Amino acid sequence: MAVLTSRFADGLAVGTDLVETAEAAIRQALAGLSGRPDLVCFFICGDDADDVTRAGQRAMSLVSDAHVIGCSATGVIGDAQGVELRPAVSAWAASLGDAEVTTFALETLRTEDRFVVIGLPERGPEDKVAILLADPYSFPTDAFVEHSAEVLGNLPITGGLANALAGRDSVRLFADGETYTEGAIGVILGGPVKVSTVVSQGCRPIGPTMVVTRAEENLLLELAGQPALARLEDIVSGLGEADRELVASGLQIGLAMDEYAERHERGDFLIRGVLGIDPEREAVAIGDVVEIGRTVRFQVRDAEAADEDLYHTLDEHVNTGGRVDGALLFSCNGRGSAMFGSADHDALAVRDTLGPIGVAGFFAAGELGPVSGQNHVHGFTASILVFSS
């Protein structure tokens, strides 16, 4: 059953006949709107790429008078629940009034010494946000997002990396009647539309904040004037048994986004993975390049920390924003049942905090969202685009 709102609604259908399932999800979403749809998003989980293609084409044909984007996925989110690893379709429809909606499709061309992305619309003065759905196998999402400010200025980018049950070469992207097997698609929203982004990276800090005093590329050599590995060993030795197990199963590190903040707490960091250690150099390798002088803090992630962080982040948004009407949810495919024991966790958290609004999305192979005003690609994250009034 679709969630009814005045301007936003979602639908979810499960079934092996993906064309019929897509029809059902789209019709549920449309039934919840009080006006005509201006933007429709849908997400398809299916075993066969051809079936996914047919379902996507059928979905687009049902809303040909609206702007439409969608993609394949290994799991979908709608109707306050998640469905993983079995055929299902979720849909989301929005009546945006006088908002400006511009869909686009991006492709990558290779020159002698670099890749060039073409197809991005020119930035408009009233643009508010971009939603990007990308094929992780053919599109340089990390480089595009990290350098997006050069082209898009401070425009926030949210969305996720598409995926598919059949893996590589079976990812499908959909935009305004067209089907794409590579690249990226998306939409830019502008004009009189009130949107905001919420990014929950699901970690909690351990140990103190420290300044990087020596580094080479992604190798941390010294933290606060001492060998990085020695600093890490000191932190771990002071942890309880449960936290030491979390360190062993997947240590993270937070890179402070505001060096001038008096304190650096939850939400003040961009989270990156700790990739390994170099005992000979007493160094710690991380999943990013860090310059000398950057403030960092080690982090751990588990279901409890991720749950607490998501609810805390959403509660903060509720306390500072207006009335929420709808949302799009891009949740990592490493969350859901793998992290929480239930595919419904993130969808229920959004409903618990933001209310019974129209929410849909998918389980992504990487999530896009800004941290402290800078766009990044994340992992194990819930990235949410919130529409308010």
Side-chain angles (χ1 to χ4, degrees), residues 144-155 157 373-375:
F144 176 80
V145 170
E146 295 294 335
H147 295 282
S148 61
E150 299 170 10
V151 179
L152 298 174
N154 61 351
L155 186 71
I157 299 176
Q374 298 180 39
N375 293 315

Side-chain angles (χ1 to χ4, degrees), residues 39-104:
L39 175 62
V40 174
C41 304
F42 63 85
F43 312 99
I44 304 173
C45 180
D47 299 307
D48 182 83
D50 291 336
D51 289 344
V52 170
T53 299
R54 285 189 287 270
Q57 292 171 342
R58 178 56 177 156
M60 289 188 291
S61 72
L62 293 173
V63 286
S64 57
D65 58 341
H67 292 284
V68 188
I69 60 170
C71 68
S72 58
T74 56
V76 301
I77 298 168
D79 196 21
Q81 60 187 299
V83 180
E84 300 171 310
L85 306 178
R86 57 192 176 110
V89 179
S90 66
W92 181 87
S95 294
L96 299 174
D98 294 328
E100 299 171 4
V101 183
T102 305
T103 53
F104 59 84

Side-chain angles (χ1 to χ4, degrees), residues 111-135:
T111 64
E112 290 184 359
D113 59 349
R114 60 176 178 165
F115 288 99
V116 177
V117 174
I118 62 173
L120 190 67
E122 289 188 11
R123 172 81 190 270
E126 295 189 1
D127 289 346
K128 300 294 178 58
V129 70
I131 304 169
L132 185 72
L133 308 176
D135 171 22

